[in-house]
């Protein structure tokens, strides 16, 4: 009994520490007049100099030239000199329950880190993400931490801990014996915990979708291919009928579907089954990307994850080494999708690399052919469209939720400026800002 009490006390202390923000405490909703040098609304490609934004009770009340906006005397005026105000950024592919593999390998995280520890770490990761200017996050699987993402989402929504808006996928779904840890490379008599929920057959596939949705999944995440071929080559894991059953069941109960697919065959099968977004897609052919364009399937390229794993395991040094074969493959896929006009959203696979460094994905997209404005769209209004949340956030427009971020410089011209947030507001609550003046 005393041991249990100590555990609860320790957990409470850790949560309190997580909730304390080193920059400033979260300030409540009210009236705010935001005065940056520029405002990038996501309704076009260019930032507007001399504009301001008025926020009332968590909602954008007005945006336009500063001298045209009239705030009442009690409004908090936030001057943001040298900065550009943008919509809150969105990352469509994250893993809050993972941390970089050069700290702890994926297998070891799943096998040795207790779920309680991983949940507390996820809360810290959520805080780092929010303070980096990412006010919304689609978290695509807890990687062996069960349904704990639903609790983290609830804690954020209830104001218990700081973090972005979460859209969660819970356990994710894989074909039997096709994911990890193992079974390849482990003793056959071990009963290993899995990184996702394993299914075989149409009935089991449908049941898993229904269970995850009932437990709180906003999206259903499917692993459409994995390293199951001879010598570990990537190959589709589900039959067409299993894949169709997964997608149809999810859609019937109002859950969109994201599919992990890296091979051309895996991507094509997923698109034909009607998935809503494809993650990675490194090996997809031009013909398959054309099919994605026809179907309106969204694409999250996760370029940063490829670079990060090259750093960890192939001695790649950014700015010095030649790109690895996998990096060149990812770049080719991205450039092909961009050329064909595929719907591209910002999805980084953060967790493979450090939480809070989410800006690296828009920067990678610019390095591989997007303009800075295109990359900003991918992380704001385009990402909101993919989330089916365009009526709530993703642009700076009157009537939308006040998810607003300011960066020193102008990321619509220089994407690297996303590294320097100076103001973060989510739903009208401010988490990072200079001192306000009445």
């Amino acid at each position: 009994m005393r041991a249990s009490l100590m555990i609860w006390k320790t957990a409470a202390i850790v949560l309190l520490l997580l909730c304390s923000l080193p920059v400033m405490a979260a300030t409540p909703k009210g009236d705010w007049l935001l005065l940056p040098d520029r405002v990038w609304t996501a309704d076009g490609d260019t930032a507007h100099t001399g504009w301001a934004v008025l926020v009332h009770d968590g909602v954008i009340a007005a945006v336009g030239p500063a001298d045209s906006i009239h705030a009442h005397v009690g409004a908090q005026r936030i001057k943001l000199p040298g900065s550009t105000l943008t919509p809150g950024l969105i990352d469509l592919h994250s893993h809050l329950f993972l941390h970089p593999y050069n700290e702890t390998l994926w297998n070891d995280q799943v096998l040795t880190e207790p779920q309680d520890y991983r949940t507390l770490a996820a809360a810290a990761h959520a805080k780092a993400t929010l303070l980096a200017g990412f006010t919304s996050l689609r978290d695509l699987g807890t990687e062996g931490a069960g349904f704990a993402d639903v609790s983290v989402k609830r804690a954020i929504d209830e104001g218990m801990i700081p973090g972005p808006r979460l859209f969660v996928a819970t356990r994710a779904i894989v074909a039997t014996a096709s994911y990890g840890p193992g079974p390849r490379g482990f003793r056959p008599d071990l009963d290993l915990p899995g990184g996702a929920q394993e299914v075989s057959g149409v009935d089991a596939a449908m049941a898993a979708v229904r269970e995850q949705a009932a437990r709180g999944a906003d999206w259903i995440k499917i692993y459409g291919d994995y390293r199951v071929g001879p010598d570990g080559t990537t190959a589709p894991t589900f039959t067409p009928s299993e894949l169709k059953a997964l997608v149809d069941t999810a859609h019937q109960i109002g859950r969109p579907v994201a599919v992990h697919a890296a091979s051309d065959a895996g991507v094509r099968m997923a698109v034909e089954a009607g998935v809503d977004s494809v993650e990675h897609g490194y090996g997809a052919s031009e013909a398959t990307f054309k099919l994605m364009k026809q179907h309106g399937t969204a694409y999250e390229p996760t370029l940063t994850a490829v670079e990060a794993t090259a750093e960890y395991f192939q001695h790649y040094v950014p700015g010095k080494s030649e790109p690895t074969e996998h990096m060149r493959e990812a770049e080719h896929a991205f450039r092909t999708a961009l050329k064909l006009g595929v719907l591209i959203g910002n999805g980084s696979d953060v967790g493979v690399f450090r939480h809070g460094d989410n800006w690296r994905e828009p920067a990678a997209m610019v390095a591989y052919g997007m303009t800075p404005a295109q990359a900003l769209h991918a992380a704001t209004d385009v990402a909101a469209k993919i989330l089916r949340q365009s009526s709530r956030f993703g642009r700076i427009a009157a009537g939308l939720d006040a998810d607003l971020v300011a960066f020193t410089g102008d990321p619509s011209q220089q994407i690297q400026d996303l590294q320097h947030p100076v103001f973060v507001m989510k739903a009208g609550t401010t988490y990072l800002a200079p001192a306000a003046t009445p």
Side-chain angles (χ1 to χ4, degrees):
M1 186 67 174
R2 291 181 62 187
S4 298
L5 211 54
M6 286 297 296
I7 291 170
W8 279 109
K9 285 181 178 178
T10 302
I13 290 167
V14 174
L15 280 171
L16 284 171
L17 289 172
L18 287 172
C19 291
S20 63
L21 295 170
V23 184
M24 66 173 289
T27 56
K29 296 178 182 179
D31 287 352
W32 297 81
L33 181 62
L34 307 180
L35 299 162
D37 280 3
R38 295 163 295 275
V39 176
W40 189 84
T41 65
D43 286 319
D45 290 345
T46 306
H48 302 280
T49 301
W51 277 29
V53 175
L54 181 65
V55 174
H56 172 69
D57 198 23
V59 175
I60 298 169
V63 55
D67 58 8
S68 71
I69 295 178
H70 304 287
H72 70 73
V73 176
Q76 298 291 309
R77 286 165 167 79
I78 301 292
K79 294 181 180 180
L80 299 163
S83 74
T84 300
L85 192 74
T86 76
L89 302 182
I90 303 167
D91 194 331
L92 293 170
H93 192 130
S94 70
H95 293 285
L96 285 176
F97 289 80
L98 293 178
H99 57 98
Y101 300 165
N102 63 335
E103 296 174 358
T104 308
L105 294 174
W106 184 89
N107 268 0
D108 292 337
Q109 291 185 46
V110 177
L111 290 171
T112 68
E113 294 181 351
Q115 183 170 313
D116 294 345
Y117 170 85
R118 297 182 70 196
T119 303
L120 291 169
H125 299 155
K127 172 185 165 184
T129 302
L130 179 63
L131 292 180
F134 285 78
T135 56
S136 294
L137 209 60
R138 187 179 62 164
D139 201 66
L140 290 182
T142 61
E143 305 291 337
F147 300 100
D149 53 352
V150 178
S151 294
V152 173
K153 175 183 177 178
R154 176 182 173 182
I156 291 171
D157 290 346
E158 293 178 356
M160 188 183 301
I161 60 173
R165 302 174 188 266
L166 287 189
F167 298 84
V168 300
T170 70
R171 297 179 64 191
I173 300 173
V174 296
T176 301
S178 66
Y179 197 43
R184 186 195 300 261
F186 286 83
R187 286 172 42 175
D189 58 329
L190 292 178
D191 185 14
L192 297 166
Q197 186 170 353
E198 297 187 0
V199 301
S200 285
V202 167
D203 290 345
M206 294 169 65
V209 170
R210 289 168 178 157
E211 179 190 5
Q212 292 191 11
R215 295 284 188 179
D218 303 302
W219 280 70
I220 299 301
K221 164 77 175 295
I222 299 168
Y223 283 79
D225 63 17
Y226 211 69
R227 296 185 288 271
V228 296
D231 301 318
T233 54
T234 300
T237 54
F238 290 108
T239 66
S241 59
E242 289 172 325
L243 199 53
K244 194 73 166 63
L246 287 162
V247 175
D248 287 352
T249 303
H251 285 170
Q252 185 180 33
I253 54 178
R255 282 7 179 243
V257 178
V259 67
H260 165 115
S263 65
D264 186 54
V267 174
R268 175 169 286 273
M269 285 179 65
V271 174
E272 290 173 344
V275 302
D276 300 282
S277 74
V278 169
E279 317 302 308
H280 314 305
Y282 308 130
S285 65
E286 183 164 329
T288 297
F289 276 121
K290 285 180 179 177
L291 186 68
M292 287 180 64
K293 167 74 171 175
Q294 293 168 11
H295 283 249
T297 310
Y299 173 47
E300 281 74 59
T302 61
L303 303 169
T304 311
V306 181
E307 180 179 302
T309 53
E311 291 179 51
Y312 305 155
F313 306 122
Q314 296 174 281
H315 310 295
Y316 171 74
V317 180
K320 295 182 179 180
S321 306
E322 288 295 315
T324 65
E325 181 180 351
H326 196 186
M327 289 174 65
R328 287 194 294 268
E329 181 185 47
E331 178 182 358
H332 177 74
F334 178 78
R335 289 186 182 277
T336 301
L338 183 61
K339 175 186 70 174
L340 295 174
V342 173
L343 182 66
I344 301 176
N346 175 61
S348 68
D349 214 354
V350 66
V352 175
F353 62 100
R354 191 175 73 93
H355 295 278
D357 284 349
N358 308 62
W359 64 268
R360 290 176 57 183
E361 186 70 13
M365 292 195 288
V366 170
Y368 288 169
M370 274 188 169
T371 65
Q374 282 178 309
L376 266 187
H377 282 296
T380 54
D381 57 304
V382 172
K385 177 182 177 182
I386 293 168
L387 284 174
R388 285 97 168 128
Q389 300 295 321
S390 296
S391 63
R392 294 179 61 202
F393 55 79
R395 294 177 298 118
I396 301 180
L400 296 188
D401 288 356
D403 289 5
L404 301 164
V405 184
F407 300 93
T408 300
D410 184 358
S412 71
Q413 298 297 317
Q414 174 56 257
I415 200 67
Q416 298 287 341
D417 290 343
L418 292 180
Q419 295 178 70
H420 308 295
V422 293
F423 176 84
V424 176
M425 172 180 280
K426 187 191 75 174
T429 296
T430 305
Y431 294 89
L432 172 66
T437 57

